[in-house]
Amino acid sequence: MNAAPRVLAVIEDLLAAAAPDERGALWHLAEQGRELDANLVRLPPGAEVGEHQEDVLDVLLVVLAGAGSARAGGRDLPLGPGTVLWLPRTSRRALAAGPDGLTYLTVHRRRPGLAIKPPAGAYEGGEGPCMLDRVCPECGRLSQDPAPVFCSRCGERFPER
C-alpha cells in the first residue's frame, strides 16, 4: 500500500520549539517505506562538521538560517539563507558555522543498511569487534570511518579516544 502525501513538519515550528542552545539533528525523516532521508541540523556559532567523504550518496544541502562556509571540491563556498549546495558522492566536504550559527536541511536517497562483512580470508568464528566508539553519541549513527572525529549526519564531535 502506498503512503499518502502529508505534511510531516513545519520547519519554523521545529526551530521555535528547539532550545536556543540545541544543536545537531533537530528532526529527521522517519516514515516507514520511504526512499529518501532528510535531516534538519543546527550548528551553533563557530561549530564545525569535520572533513569527511560520503562514498555512496549524493547530498543536497539547503541553508535555512545563519551563515557559514563549506569546504568542498578544494574550494571554500559561502553559505547563507537560501543557498542550495549539491555534494556529489565521493566528494570530500567540511562545514563551518559563522557567528550566528548555521541551520540546514540535508536530503539524500535512503542509505542502504550497513552490512558488516569480514575481510576476505578472515576467521569467521567468535564475536565481532565492538564498534561502540563509532556510534555518534548525539544521533546514534554508526560511522563508516574507523576513527571518526565528527558525525557526518549531525555534526557532533566524537569523544576523544
Side-chain angles (χ1 to χ4, degrees):
M1 180 177 195
N2 288 337
R6 65 189 185 282
V7 174
L8 299 176
V10 176
I11 290 174
E12 184 176 309
D13 295 346
L14 292 170
L15 294 175
D21 61 344
E22 191 172 349
R23 63 172 285 166
L26 302 179
W27 173 86
H28 66 276
L29 187 61
E31 280 35 58
Q32 295 295 319
R34 69 189 187 280
E35 292 186 15
L36 286 176
D37 274 332
N39 299 288
L40 175 63
V41 180
R42 181 193 292 162
L43 297 178
E48 296 180 354
V49 174
E51 185 175 87
H52 63 284
Q53 180 172 315
E54 171 56 68
D55 290 326
V56 179
L57 304 169
D58 290 2
V59 176
L60 190 71
L61 183 148
V62 180
V63 177
L64 303 172
S69 64
R71 178 89 178 142
R75 299 181 5 223
D76 285 320
L77 305 169
L79 300 176
T83 301
V84 178
L85 176 63
W86 173 48
L87 298 165
R89 67 184 168 276
T90 73
S91 65
R92 297 205 57 78
R93 72 286 298 260
L95 297 174
D100 295 324
L102 181 65
T103 302
Y104 58 91
L105 181 72
T106 61
V107 181
H108 55 80
R109 199 170 27 97
R110 189 168 183 192
R111 184 178 306 282
L114 292 176
I116 301 170
K117 300 176 186 172
Y123 172 70
E124 293 187 29
E127 293 184 15
C130 178
M131 294 189 291
L132 287 176
D133 63 333
R134 292 173 46 188
V135 175
C136 174
E138 179 69 22
C139 71
R141 178 175 187 259
L142 176 64
S143 175
Q144 302 227 4
D145 185 340
V149 177
F150 293 96
C151 177
S152 63
R153 176 184 284 162
C154 72
E156 182 71 19
R157 180 182 280 278
F158 278 79
E160 295 294 323
R161 297 173 186 239

